[in-house]
Amino acid sequence: MAPVESPDLLAVLDAMTDGIYIVRQDYTVEYMNRAMIERFGDGVGKKCYEVINRTEVLCPWCRADEVFRDGESAESEIYIPHHDKTYRIIELPLQSKDGSLSKLNIYRDISATRDQALRLAATEKDYRRLFEHVGVGVYVSTKEGRFLDANPALLGMLGYDSKTEFLNIRIPEDLYRDPSQRLAFQRMIEEDGRVVSYAVDFKRRDGSPLPVLLTSHVRRDHAGQISGYEGICVDQSQVVRLTQEIREAHDHLSKIVQSSPNAIIGVDMTGGIITWNPGAEETLGYTRAEVVGRMDVRQLYEGEQAYEVMASMRGPDFGGPGKLRAY
């Protein structure tokens, strides 16, 4: 065959990093370049399936019939178990001067690329699973104010059953109770590239308020320009409710302290007075302004009584440690 007999061409083929070999129509190997020999061993004169797949039958991926019959090239990706490698194979028909046909095969090792693609696919699958199942709202939006994607948690928080409906809402008007908060959010995120725990009030589908904390960062296009935002929304409803309950309990206790006719005094661990109700003003004659943050509780006792009181509070005789009853 003229192509194989050319010394210059053989030198070129040997210099290539892809494995190259030529087989006749009876599957006998008549040429292998250096890269092919290094990977599969010298198989010239043997059947190609014995060399490539170490079997006594045709390789299951072989497309020689197509190449010889149709005279057209074929391309495929195959995994060879005993090599633990994945190759992209190009099979080309060759015709010699005497009219006989051979097949040129190019083997390119794509294992690293294929493995990377599989890892990326697995990573994307893991991130998608996290996106779908995480307990906080996750979103991707355009700069102009439309959602591109949102997870089930965000739809649930905002009372939407249909993702399609949600992706069609206008963020400034339909999501924010106060559209100026959207403008403030955009100013901050475009100046710094991100926003962390920004408190805003959203509207649920039924119009009821939903306090959330936004943590987001910008998305950029291929030119580096800001094209949108993505991040998480944390429902603060329970936090707001608990804060309100604590505030109400504190206010209730404060009213009890302030309305009690008995003198009620609170001190910190150093003895500084921090609470002084009207009952204490009436009983002891000092106004709240005179004592809170200005006096030490020990100034209210004569002599060593303050130390006696503290010692009694630590002992078991007047109600147990930390208490002092009817002293």
Side-chain angles (χ1 to χ4, degrees):
M1 289 176 55
V4 178
E5 293 169 1
S6 170
D8 292 336
L9 178 57
L10 292 179
V12 171
L13 294 179
D14 271 339
M16 295 181 68
T17 57
D18 292 336
I20 297 174
Y21 72 97
I22 298 173
V23 296
R24 295 194 295 265
Q25 283 186 279
D26 65 356
Y27 304 104
T28 300
V29 179
E30 58 181 353
Y31 169 77
M32 297 178 75
N33 76 340
R34 183 180 292 110
M36 199 71 189
I37 293 172
E38 288 175 354
R39 292 171 187 168
F40 294 91
D42 189 351
V44 174
K46 299 179 182 178
K47 299 298 184 182
C48 59
Y49 44 82
E50 296 175 341
V51 178
I52 304 300
N53 205 32
R54 297 180 183 175
T55 62
E56 296 181 357
V57 295
L58 289 176
C59 302
W61 59 81
C62 182
R63 300 175 68 179
D65 281 347
E66 297 175 38
V67 176
F68 288 130
R69 182 186 67 242
D70 302 329
E72 296 180 355
S73 63
E75 185 172 344
S76 55
E77 287 185 11
I78 59 103
Y79 172 72
I80 301 180
H82 70 264
H83 268 234
D84 192 24
K85 296 285 187 181
T86 300
Y87 293 93
R88 177 173 288 114
I89 302 175
I90 300 174
E91 301 175 69
L92 302 165
L94 290 178
Q95 187 170 17
S96 64
K97 290 180 179 181
D98 63 9
S100 63
L101 282 178
S102 296
K103 181 166 67 80
L104 183 144
N105 304 269
I106 303 173
Y107 272 54
R108 174 166 294 175
D109 186 352
I110 61 169
S111 303
T113 304
R114 186 67 175 165
D115 290 347
Q116 184 178 17
L118 292 173
R119 285 194 296 270
L120 286 173
T123 300
E124 289 174 4
K125 186 176 180 180
D126 289 341
Y127 275 113
R128 192 68 200 180
R129 187 184 301 111
L130 177 63
F131 179 85
E132 293 295 333
H133 297 291
V134 69
V136 297
V138 184
Y139 76 93
V140 180
S141 75
T142 66
K143 182 177 178 179
E144 292 72 26
R146 295 280 186 177
F147 284 111
L148 298 174
D149 203 357
N151 72 337
L154 185 58
L155 269 63
M157 285 165 51
L158 293 165
Y160 287 85
D161 296 323
S162 167
K163 185 173 182 177
T164 301
E165 178 187 5
F166 183 73
L167 296 183
N168 284 323
I169 72 171
R170 298 166 300 172
I171 294 175
E173 298 87 357
D174 300 331
L175 183 64
Y176 283 78
R177 294 189 70 197
D178 180 359
S180 67
Q181 286 189 322
R182 166 74 175 180
L183 295 175
F185 164 79
Q186 287 187 290
R187 283 195 299 270
M188 289 188 292
I189 198 170
E190 295 196 16
E191 286 177 3
D192 300 332
R194 64 175 184 162
V195 166
V196 178
S197 297
Y198 175 56
V200 297
D201 290 320
F202 284 168
K203 288 185 293 188
R204 293 187 177 92
R205 187 175 184 275
D206 61 9
S208 60
L210 176 70
V212 301
L213 286 180
L214 278 181
T215 295
S216 308
H217 61 86
V218 297
R219 290 166 58 89
R220 298 184 184 274
D221 60 22
H222 64 280
Q225 300 301 310
I226 296 174
S227 61
Y229 319 114
E230 58 189 13
I232 62 173
C233 308
V234 181
D235 184 351
Q236 293 293 286
S237 301
Q238 187 173 9
V239 173
V240 171
R241 180 179 58 79
L242 291 174
T243 301
Q244 180 63 27
E245 290 177 0
I246 292 171
R247 183 182 296 111
E248 290 174 356
H250 180 271
D251 291 345
H252 181 65
L253 179 60
S254 179
K255 289 176 181 177
I256 292 175
V257 170
Q258 294 303 313
S259 62
S260 174
N262 298 313
I264 298 177
I265 303 167
V267 299
D268 60 25
M269 295 301 293
T270 66
I273 297 173
I274 55 176
T275 301
W276 190 267
N277 75 335
E281 289 184 330
E282 183 178 344
T283 302
L284 297 170
Y286 296 99
T287 66
R288 184 178 185 282
E290 290 177 303
V291 295
V292 172
R294 295 175 177 271
M295 284 182 60
D296 189 297
V297 70
R298 284 166 289 199
Q299 294 175 250
L300 302 178
Y301 294 88
E302 291 185 359
E304 299 296 318
Q305 285 187 332
Y307 299 99
E308 294 173 8
V309 168
M310 287 187 281
S312 299
M313 286 188 70
R314 296 188 183 97
D317 299 330
F318 296 92
K323 299 178 181 179
L324 183 62
R325 295 176 179 171
Y327 176 76

